[in-house]
Amino acid sequence: MLSRVYSGAVYGVNAYAVEIEVNAVGGEPQFVIVGLPDAAVRESKDRVWTAIHNAGFRPAPGRNTINLAPADIKKEGPVYDLPIAVGLIAATSQAEMPQIERYAMIGELALSGEVRRVRGVLPVTLEMRRQGMRGILVPADNAEEAAVAEGIDVFAVRHLREAVDFLAGNLKLEPFRVDIAELMERERRHVEDFADVKGQESAKRAIEVAVSGGHNILMIGSPGTGKTMLARRIASILPEMTLDEALEATRIHSVAGTLKSHQALVLHRPFRAPHHTISDAGLLGGGTHPLPGEVSLAHRGVLFLDELPEFHRNVLEVLRQPLEDGRVTIARAAATLDFPSRFILVAAMNPCPCGYAGDPKRECRCSSQKIQAYRNKISGPLLDRIDIHIEMPPVRYHDLSSLARGESSEVIRARVAACRAVQRERFARSPHVACNAAMTPRDVQNFCRLDGDAADLLKMAMSELNFSARAYDRIIKVARTITDMAGAESIGAVHISEAIQYRSLDRMMWN
């Protein structure tokens, strides 16, 4: 007898429908899976056979053929265990399930018949909604994640027997619901707060400028100046995530398998801090079965690279595309995948290998050749893509011993949100531009008019400091953000001056 069941497979951060045909006939016992299955899918026959037996059903005798369509796309992972088992039970007439084709299902089976959580449930649920399915059966640990896709009924199942009884009409399950508004309100709390940071007022100002305009930032200072402490608090002053942004981030983390059990949405801005030994595939994404890398897991959040020169040169160079385009393209022989990667790059480094070049109290042990070789690990093109460079002096004892707390993240976030609102209104007709850092050359021409003094100051700086053409654009974009923060319309000399101050560090240190 032939049965048909529907499931889904992940392709990049999206999904496509998979039709699973199960045909059970007499003859010599044989279990065949066709449709480009990988090793995990081929191994499912042993899990499924044992799970069916332990769930109280009779394993299908004779020849069993399972076809996964479309047949020209490779099927990966254990996500088809549940639909294959349900299809076999239906094909052998052990349960009447008249509405089986109106429900999609996804899940891995334990040998006991329990349904285990899998990756990519949210993209699959969204695709099943688009396909017009009445509902989807998902592992109980993935129910919150799937339920954020409104417009389709989500049923949490814990066991194969539970899934079959529901489809046969012998068990009533209520659709799983989550209150997204309540969830977002409850999760709007940050552990890290800028009020805990002592001193470094100029660095705080530069960070607020960076976050307000979506600019990348590089902090240079000796060990103990607070670079990591400041970086870990940057996500706390970013504007709260909208539902659309949360869904974007959740899809990526769902595909990567980094969502926690029973986690519905990624509601805090991601903060990713990979170790400097990471490979280019780990940072950018890829592998035999391409998965999102750290740059995509940081989408809509912060990517922090501590000890920047310690990263391999080839790893740093692959950052160029995501920093420019906001996406990563991974090409393989069978397919080309796109992963979104819009993030704020926050980098930190010491001024020299020992860390104390320029420190007023500690002697540097590095030769000038070592210092130059250390700094040359960061290429000019990459440095040009980092809008703001700041030096961080040692924190004074007076600041460390002070009992006064600084501005809280909530206060700073309110100013950032107001500045971002100005930018949203400005770029309302440019859907691909969300903040000043993403402006195109045409946007710079239209929205970044300099008054006479500002233009003269920038012209002199370009000549004296030998800035590149890309640095010229970055200075104007940062100046536009500073102008927005000040509530002004045209860019003046004071705004250009501050922007140049944030840009001159690369020429002072690298030339």
Side-chain angles (χ1 to χ4, degrees), residues 213-215 342 427 432-441 443 474 477:
H215 305 285
R342 293 197 177 277
F427 305 123
H432 299 296
V433 180
C435 53
N436 289 332
M439 283 191 290
T440 64
D443 293 323
R474 304 290 180 179
K477 291 177 182 180

Side-chain angles (χ1 to χ4, degrees), residues 157-379:
V157 293
R158 293 176 172 80
H159 199 275
L160 174 59
R161 166 65 73 171
E162 188 178 358
V164 173
D165 287 345
F166 169 73
L167 292 170
N170 300 325
L171 174 67
K172 185 177 181 181
L173 293 177
E174 293 296 328
F176 196 93
R177 307 289 186 199
V178 293
D179 189 331
I180 296 177
E182 179 186 351
L183 188 66
M184 295 185 75
E185 183 61 33
R186 188 174 70 244
E187 293 295 326
R188 292 186 192 277
R189 295 189 301 271
H190 296 275
V191 177
E192 311 282 2
D193 198 293
F194 264 82
D196 301 327
V197 181
K198 301 294 183 67
Q200 298 295 8
E201 298 305 322
S202 60
K204 291 179 187 177
R205 165 68 180 181
I207 288 172
E208 184 177 344
V209 172
V211 173
S212 296
H215 305 285
N216 304 316
I217 184 170
L218 170 63
M219 297 179 285
I220 303 177
S222 302
T225 54
K227 301 186 297 294
T228 302
M229 187 178 188
L230 281 167
R232 291 191 177 279
R233 283 156 176 76
I234 289 178
S236 69
I237 63 173
L238 280 165
E240 301 288 358
M241 293 185 81
T242 65
L243 179 57
D244 288 341
E245 289 176 332
L247 285 171
E248 281 183 50
T250 305
R251 286 163 73 114
I252 297 170
H253 286 259
S254 175
V255 170
T258 57
L259 286 182
K260 299 177 182 176
S261 180
H262 298 289
Q263 182 179 1
L265 283 170
V266 174
L267 291 173
H268 290 296
R269 297 280 179 179
F271 178 85
R272 305 293 299 185
H275 192 260
H276 61 77
T277 57
I278 192 171
S279 66
D280 52 356
L283 187 65
L284 203 64
T288 305
H289 308 306
L291 292 175
E294 290 292 332
V295 296
S296 296
L297 293 173
H299 182 61
R300 301 297 183 186
V302 174
L303 177 67
F304 177 47
L305 302 183
D306 200 4
E307 305 295 344
L308 188 65
E310 300 299 334
F311 285 79
H312 296 296
R313 180 70 174 258
N314 64 302
V315 173
L316 293 179
E317 293 308 304
V318 300
L319 282 172
R320 294 191 193 183
Q321 186 201 8
L323 287 176
E324 285 292 320
D325 303 335
R327 61 183 177 85
V328 171
T329 302
I330 299 175
R332 293 291 183 268
T336 299
L337 302 178
D338 276 346
F339 293 113
S341 57
R342 293 197 177 277
F343 56 87
I344 293 178
L345 174 64
V346 179
M349 61 175 288
N350 296 327
C352 67
C354 78
Y356 296 106
D359 192 296
K361 296 183 179 180
R362 302 287 294 270
E363 181 181 356
C364 175
R365 304 187 302 271
C366 305
S367 65
S368 58
Q369 291 85 358
K370 283 187 177 181
I371 294 175
Q372 194 62 39
Y374 178 76
R375 296 170 180 173
N376 284 343
K377 291 181 179 180
I378 306 172
S379 68

